[in-house]
Amino acid sequence: MAALRDKAALVRESLQKSQTITESMVSILGSFDHRLSSLETAMRPTQIRTHSIRRAHENIDKTLKAAEAILGRFDLTRKAEAKVLRGPHEDLESYLEAIDQLRSNLQYFTTHKCFKRTSGIITHANNLLTKAISKLEDEFRNLLTNYSKVVEPDRLFDGLPDSLRPSATSPGKRNDSKKDSDNQKNSENAVYTPPTLIPPRVLPLLHNLAQQMVQAGHQQQLFRIYRDTRASVLEQSLRKLGVERLSKDDVQKMQWEVLEAKIGNWIHYMRIAVKLLFAGEKKICDQILAGIDSLRDQCYAEITANSVSVLLSFGEAIAKSKRSPEKLFVLLDMYEIMRELQSEIDYLFGTKSSTEMRESAQSLTKRLAQTAQETFGDFEEAVAKDATKTAVLDGTVHPLTSYVINYVKFLFDYKTTLEQLFQEFEESDTEAQLKTLTTRIMEALQTNLDGKSKQYKDPALTQLFLMNNMHYIVRSVRRSEAKDLLGDDWVQIHRRIVQQHANQYKRISWAKVLQCVTIQGAAPAGGGGILGGDSGSGISRAMVKDRFKNFNAQFEDLHMRQCQWNVPDSELRESLRLAVAEVLLPAYRSFHKRFGQVLPMAESGKNPCKYIKYKPEDLERMLSEFFEVGPWGELLPSMYSSRNSGCAEDWDVTLRAGPRRGPVVNSCWLRGDHRVPLTNLGVKNKGFENVGEVNDGKKRPRGALGATSASDTVDSSVVGIDHVMSVDHSVWEDCEQYIDKDVLDDDGGMPWRSTDFYGSPDEKSRSASWDLLRQLSS
């Protein structure tokens, strides 16, 4: 406890000392507070002056920075001005940067108009910018002009698929030997490569220049420069290719051969223009004017407007021109190319600015379809009303028949196109429509042939004529796609008609001849003696002599006339000969066997050959000479020409494909001593311009056209040679398909040139034959 008390005393003492110290510190701190208050009052003026100095320094710094920025703008303007004055030729990219800098400075000073003389600075910058943009326009024009070159035709042809490129032998023309189906497959899978109209490295520069001009508000200047430059180059490229503006009057005045060639070229030009030139033009227009949509669409529309108008105006002129049957296939070709290009046209001219061109193309397609459909009706009417008065004297296939059949064959080359055409006007069974159309044409042809057959005075020749023509029709149908459409029943019915005409021919021609060698029912006659052992079958000597005499006269008359008749189909010819021989020869053998030996014995001392001229073997040989005017068995295209005149041998100049494959080339039927032009069907003589009027009853050299020697002649005609000619010749060339020689007549005058040409009976080879014929024409 004592220890605790001692410690408690020490604690009290310590506390008292702390209290004393605390009171002293409070007294001291109180005095400091009074002193600090006095000091703060004394420092306040100094603090105010220091704050003012600090604010002044900050303002000076801001002013210096603003002045530095303004001076920098002046420096940039000075540098930009130097670049503008130098022009864009040295460094176009740097020039474009200078224009951007000028535009930025102009915007800066426009937003800081509080500076003195700001308006002067703005005016100077605007003047510099105007001068820069003017030089920029010149640079854009120069670049575009220098790199916009006319596209040569060869470069365009290189962009076509291989199947559509011109052949090496005919520059500027395309390959004509393709069929419709091949063309359609090729067009579907073909790859077109538009030419490079402007080098790719230049396009970004032109784009930047265009953007600068638009930002400067020079859209119209840009539009005019781009439109005028590119439109001129495009039009020149088309002109160099061969495109020309032709009016309806120009088309009407053209000869068909010239017009047909121009239509074939137009089809080619349309494909090149749309798939290559217009496509290439749109590509560069989209790149140079990218981001300027309204201006880009308007530029492209006006660049192509005139070129499209020139191309479509020719199509419109053809569609509006006078209709004729031979135009049908070129109309279908034109309709086909417009259908083929429709999707590309819709894409290339799909904007509002190009509406007129797109609608013009659609209108032309419909007009071509309408004209083609109307031409169908014209053709059917022309076939029905064909009034050719000149008959084919040998009863062979009439030119109208071959013309119509070839016409129908070509129709089936266009089957897909025709189906599309029919759908333009109505939704129905297109195959049924084509069948109806074909059937009507065939019926019109048969009706017309029936009328033409009545021109023959010899009823046997009438039947032979109908048989030949009907057989030609049936054979052609069987070998074409028309068979699938018309059907087997149609073929069988018309084959029976052919047989009926053959039977009628046999009955009319040979009935009287057979009566001469038929002994059934012959009654014995008195006064001349009876030949034969039994009276039931015996006939008088006078009757036998009369029978042989009549038989000889009638058979010789038939032989003389019908050797000039023609059955051009070898199988039909042999069949008809065999049918006659099966009836005539057994009857004659029997009659000859029975009376041919007895009559000479009864006529001892007299010449029996006066009555019995022919043995059965002689008749068989002579029957083989019927129905064959020349040694050729088929209808072959041929030409026979001379220096002084022209003439044509005895066969059919058939129709063939035109520039694409279908159009009917005008033809002339050349037959012996006359020719039958199909004038009323709008068909003219093609390739035989020198075939003049014919002098009947003259002789001409037969030469290579079937003669066995140079001295053989054939009754026919040679224009301008008025006497019988003894032939001597000097051969220039002797080839498989033609013989070229000089021929001298007997008066020792100027020699004349004879070119004898062999065609091909195979339709697939006729194109090559025509090509060779063209080479020989010079």
Side-chain angles (χ1 to χ4, degrees):
M1 292 298 289
L4 287 172
R5 280 195 294 273
D6 291 338
K7 289 182 180 180
L10 288 172
V11 170
R12 280 195 297 274
E13 184 179 354
S14 297
L15 288 172
Q16 288 175 355
K17 288 180 179 180
S18 295
Q19 181 67 30
T20 302
I21 293 170
T22 300
E23 291 175 353
S24 298
M25 286 299 296
V26 169
S27 176
I28 294 169
L29 289 173
S31 64
F32 270 113
D33 184 52
H34 177 70
R35 291 175 183 175
L36 286 172
S37 178
S38 300
L39 182 60
E40 183 178 1
T41 302
M43 288 293 294
R44 187 171 291 114
T46 304
Q47 289 176 347
I48 292 172
R49 285 195 298 273
T50 302
H51 181 68
S52 298
I53 292 171
R54 188 184 305 113
R55 287 186 63 185
H57 277 291
E58 290 176 356
N59 289 335
I60 291 170
D61 288 340
K62 288 181 181 180
T63 303
L64 289 175
K65 288 179 180 179
E68 185 178 356
I70 293 170
L71 291 174
R73 292 282 179 179
F74 279 110
D75 187 51
L76 291 174
T77 300
R78 188 178 65 255
K79 291 179 180 179
E81 181 177 5
K83 292 179 181 179
V84 167
L85 294 176
R86 282 198 301 271
H89 306 290
E90 296 180 2
D91 188 353
L92 180 58
E93 292 184 6
S94 177
Y95 188 84
L96 294 177
E97 290 175 0
I99 291 177
D100 286 334
Q101 188 62 58
L102 277 175
R103 193 172 283 116
S104 174
N105 289 350
L106 185 60
Q107 183 179 4
Y108 175 81
F109 287 114
T110 302
T111 55
H112 294 81
K113 291 186 177 181
C114 56
F115 301 137
K116 291 182 178 180
R117 299 184 180 177
T118 300
S119 59
I121 296 171
I122 293 174
T123 301
H124 181 65
N126 273 325
N127 291 337
L128 274 178
L129 196 57
T130 301
K131 186 180 294 185
I133 295 300
S134 177
K135 291 186 177 183
L136 204 62
E137 286 181 15
D138 294 337
E139 183 65 15
F140 182 83
R141 182 185 291 104
N142 291 336
L143 271 178
L144 191 63
T145 302
N146 291 337
Y147 288 102
S148 294
K149 302 296 183 182
V150 176
V151 185
E152 297 294 330
D154 288 343
R155 284 183 60 205
L156 292 172
F157 298 149
D158 289 341
L160 294 171
D162 293 339
S163 59
L164 294 174
R165 291 182 186 178
S167 62
T169 57
S170 57
K173 305 292 181 185
R174 77 184 162 77
N175 192 347
D176 300 338
S177 61
K178 294 175 177 52
K179 291 292 183 185
D180 181 48
S181 57
D182 295 335
N183 280 339
Q184 287 189 350
K185 290 178 182 178
N186 290 335
S187 65
E188 290 173 1
N189 304 320
V191 177
Y192 294 84
T193 308
T196 302
L197 302 180
I198 293 178
R201 62 184 176 82
V202 182
L203 293 175
L205 294 177
L206 290 170
H207 171 66
N208 291 337
L209 291 172
Q211 291 283 6
Q212 292 290 349
M213 292 174 68
V214 171
Q215 290 180 24
H218 289 216
Q219 292 94 333
Q220 289 305 310
Q221 292 89 326
L222 171 64
F223 170 75
R224 284 194 297 272
I225 293 171
Y226 191 86
R227 178 199 60 192
D228 295 344
T229 304
R230 290 306 309 166
S232 175
V233 171
L234 177 61
E235 291 165 18
Q236 290 180 59
S237 298
L238 287 173
R239 279 198 298 272
K240 202 154 193 177
L241 183 64
V243 176
E244 55 184 333
R245 183 182 288 276
L246 295 172
S247 66
K248 181 181 176 181
D249 292 338
D250 296 331
V251 168
Q252 295 285 24
K253 294 175 184 177
M254 284 185 188
Q255 293 183 354
W256 169 240
E257 292 81 1
V258 176
L259 182 59
E260 185 183 32
K262 287 189 178 293
I263 291 172
N265 289 337
W266 179 85
I267 291 168
H268 202 34
Y269 299 156
M270 280 296 297
R271 184 179 283 111
I272 289 175
V274 173
K275 291 184 175 287
L276 299 181
L277 283 174
F278 294 160
E281 202 64 54
K282 183 170 179 59
K283 183 178 179 181
I284 64 168
C285 190
D286 288 346
Q287 289 180 276
I288 294 174
L289 302 179
I292 321 170
D293 294 346
S294 60
L295 187 64
R296 177 194 62 201
D297 295 341
Q298 187 180 4
C299 269
Y300 178 74
E302 297 212 16
I303 287 168
T304 55
N306 190 57
S307 297
V308 171
S309 174
V310 170
L311 287 166
L312 296 185
S313 64
F314 178 79
E316 288 285 347
I318 296 297
K320 293 177 181 178
S321 63
K322 184 179 179 180
R323 298 192 303 271
S324 59
E326 71 270 14
K327 285 185 180 178
L328 173 61
F329 298 103
V330 296
L331 287 170
L332 292 176
D333 283 335
M334 295 171 73
Y335 172 76
E336 189 175 88
I337 193 63
M338 292 303 297
R339 288 282 305 208
E340 178 187 328
L341 300 176
Q342 192 63 56
S343 58
E344 283 89 349
I345 291 174
D346 290 343
Y347 165 70
L348 293 172
F349 304 103
T351 63
K352 185 177 180 180
S353 302
S354 303
T355 301
E356 183 178 351
M357 287 173 281
R358 185 174 66 254
E359 290 178 349
S360 295
Q362 293 170 354
S363 174
L364 174 58
T365 304
K366 288 190 175 295
R367 183 176 289 277
L368 289 169
Q370 181 180 359
T371 306
Q373 190 179 51
E374 292 170 353
T375 305
F376 281 129
D378 294 345
F379 177 69
E380 182 184 346
E381 183 179 356
V383 172
K385 295 182 178 180
D386 174 64
T388 305
K389 295 299 182 183
T390 306
V392 284
L393 300 182
D394 55 3
T396 188
V397 178
H398 196 278
L400 177 66
T401 305
S402 61
Y403 181 84
V404 172
I405 292 301
N406 279 283
Y407 204 94
V408 172
K409 284 181 181 179
F410 289 138
L411 281 181
F412 283 91
D413 283 343
Y414 290 87
K415 186 176 180 181
T416 303
T417 305
L418 288 170
E419 290 174 352
Q420 294 174 343
L421 186 144
F422 291 147
Q423 291 174 355
E424 289 278 353
F425 303 100
E426 56 180 316
E427 293 290 339
S428 60
D429 186 351
T430 55
E431 186 167 314
Q433 285 183 278
L434 187 56
K435 180 178 180 179
T436 301
L437 173 67
T438 306
T439 303
R440 289 206 311 263
I441 292 174
M442 291 296 191
E443 290 173 351
L445 173 61
Q446 292 174 51
T447 302
N448 193 291
L449 290 173
D450 288 339
K452 284 180 168 49
S453 69
K454 294 179 173 58
Q455 298 176 16
Y456 297 104
K457 296 179 180 180
D458 190 332
L461 185 56
T462 296
Q463 298 301 320
L464 191 76
F465 170 78
L466 292 173
M467 179 196 71
N468 276 330
N469 283 270
M470 192 58 63
H471 179 268
Y472 182 83
I473 292 170
V474 172
R475 186 188 64 173
S476 300
V477 168
R478 288 177 60 197
R479 295 179 180 180
S480 70
E481 294 181 53
K483 180 185 176 183
D484 297 333
L485 193 68
L486 296 176
D488 291 332
D489 290 343
W490 187 95
V491 173
Q492 293 303 323
I493 290 171
H494 287 79
R495 287 182 69 180
R496 286 196 291 272
I497 294 174
V498 174
Q499 188 60 48
Q500 289 170 7
H501 289 305
N503 292 338
Q504 286 289 89
Y505 157 78
K506 288 189 297 180
R507 182 184 62 80
I508 295 170
S509 285
W510 297 97
K512 292 182 179 180
V513 178
L514 286 171
Q515 287 177 1
C516 295
V517 292
T518 302
I519 59 175
Q520 285 78 3
I530 302 297
L531 295 177
D534 52 29
S535 61
S537 60
I539 59 176
S540 67
R541 231 181 356 262
M543 182 177 292
V544 170
K545 287 191 282 185
D546 189 57
R547 290 283 187 91
F548 271 112
K549 184 178 179 180
N550 289 339
F551 175 84
N552 294 337
Q554 292 183 26
F555 183 80
E556 287 170 356
D557 178 64
L558 287 177
H559 181 267
M560 181 183 66
R561 286 187 292 112
Q562 297 195 18
C563 281
Q564 301 302 315
W565 297 358
N566 195 3
V567 178
D569 183 79
S570 58
E571 292 182 6
L572 181 62
R573 183 169 60 250
E574 291 303 320
S575 174
L576 194 60
R577 289 171 179 168
L578 181 61
V580 173
E582 286 176 346
V583 175
L584 178 66
L585 293 180
Y588 186 78
R589 283 195 185 99
S590 177
F591 192 83
H592 186 275
K593 182 178 180 181
R594 183 161 188 173
F595 301 108
Q597 300 299 328
V598 178
L599 186 61
M601 291 187 293
E603 296 289 323
S604 57
K606 296 183 179 180
N607 183 12
C609 293
K610 178 180 179 182
Y611 305 104
I612 307 175
K613 288 186 177 182
Y614 305 108
K615 296 178 181 179
E617 296 78 18
D618 296 330
L619 294 184
E620 186 173 4
R621 175 184 56 79
M622 294 175 72
L623 282 175
S624 67
E625 299 171 356
F626 278 56
F627 319 126
E628 192 168 19
V629 175
W632 51 90
E634 298 290 328
L635 299 177
L636 304 177
S638 174
M639 187 176 87
Y640 196 94
S641 64
S642 72
R643 282 199 188 104
N644 301 322
S645 61
C647 54
E649 270 296 348
D650 193 10
W651 42 32
D652 175 19
V653 183
T654 55
L655 310 174
R656 65 174 292 272
R660 296 197 68 226
R661 79 212 169 282
V664 177
V665 172
N666 298 324
S667 175
C668 184
W669 183 263
L670 304 166
R671 181 64 58 182
D673 58 355
H674 66 282
R675 62 195 179 106
V676 185
L678 299 180
T679 53
N680 55 328
L681 286 180
V683 182
K684 299 177 182 176
N685 187 20
K686 177 175 178 63
F688 295 84
E689 287 79 7
N690 292 327
V691 179
E693 295 300 322
V694 179
N695 298 324
D696 294 335
K698 305 299 179 184
K699 301 276 188 176
R700 71 161 174 237
R702 189 169 182 178
L705 295 173
T708 57
S709 69
S711 61
D712 289 343
T713 60
V714 60
D715 288 336
S716 189
S717 61
V718 173
V719 179
I721 300 178
D722 297 319
H723 56 275
V724 177
M725 181 184 299
S726 63
V727 176
D728 189 8
H729 67 268
S730 174
V731 175
W732 291 79
E733 286 186 87
D734 186 355
C735 304
E736 182 179 356
Q737 285 192 275
Y738 66 93
I739 296 178
D740 188 18
K741 61 182 181 292
D742 273 352
V743 179
L744 301 175
D745 64 15
D746 55 6
D747 65 359
M750 181 70 71
W752 55 283
R753 186 80 165 266
S754 169
T755 302
D756 307 328
F757 177 82
Y758 290 87
S760 172
D762 183 3
E763 290 184 359
K764 295 180 180 177
S765 303
R766 287 184 178 174
S767 178
S769 295
W770 279 104
D771 291 339
L772 177 58
L773 198 57
R774 290 192 189 92
Q775 294 177 21
L776 296 176
S777 66
S778 61

